[in-house]
Amino acid sequence: MNNWGQPKRILGEVDVFQLDQTHELYAHMNANYTRMESLPDFDHYGRVVETISRGEFFVSSGEVLLPEAVIEPGSGGGIAVRARVRWTFPLRFAEIVWGDGAATHRKVIPLETTRPFGESEFRWTADAKEWKWARVAVWDIAANGAFVNPVWRKLP
């Protein structure tokens, strides 16, 4: 949808229609992890909404975390990503996903040499001269992932 030209936000959500004491909900729930210096009190919950409206959050079910991710133009007009990642299970891959206004593209980066319970900062690039928006996601061996919202390239 970002190729249509209007920036979109991707929110984590769970459809819950009927629950009882036999249901395991937390293990399958995506959560929106906001990037805030502190949790506001109840009377200032609007700060959470403002943070989400600016796209300052990532989505995860909790096994892979992206506390910091920077996406910006790289050398030659490509995409440069710097991501701080924390994980529980060994990672399988990261992906840089981008659009040029007509099609969506991706670059997959293998991460199969990671060990369980890790944390690292990664730097990746993608040769994508005509990119208009980009996002990054990281996935583990159990298909748990985390992703950030698309970042729109600022053109001169």
Side-chain angles (χ1 to χ4, degrees), residues 35 58 65-70 81-85 121 136 148:
R35 292 187 179 102
F58 65 94
L65 301 175
L66 284 166
E68 185 179 1
V70 176
V81 175
R82 181 177 47 83
R84 190 163 46 97
V85 184
E121 182 174 294
V136 66
V148 300

Side-chain angles (χ1 to χ4, degrees), residues 37-92:
E37 291 189 26
S38 64
L39 183 64
D41 62 19
F42 179 79
D43 291 331
H44 299 96
Y45 72 90
R47 293 180 186 159
V48 174
V49 176
E50 292 165 2
T51 300
I52 289 173
S53 71
R54 289 190 306 267
E56 295 173 6
F57 67 99
F58 65 94
V59 178
S60 175
S61 55
E63 296 84 1
V64 179
L65 301 175
L66 284 166
E68 185 179 1
V70 176
I71 301 169
E72 56 193 4
S75 62
I79 301 168
V81 175
R82 181 177 47 83
R84 190 163 46 97
V85 184
R86 291 185 202 146
W87 61 90
T88 303
F89 302 114
L91 298 176
R92 172 150 298 151

Side-chain angles (χ1 to χ4, degrees), residues 64 85 87 89-95 97 109 111 114 135-147:
V64 179
V85 184
W87 61 90
F89 302 114
L91 298 176
R92 172 150 298 151
F93 65 92
E95 60 183 343
V97 181
I109 301 111
L111 297 174
T114 60
R135 65 178 179 83
V136 66
V138 180
W139 301 91
D140 70 16
I141 61 168
N144 302 302
F147 60 87

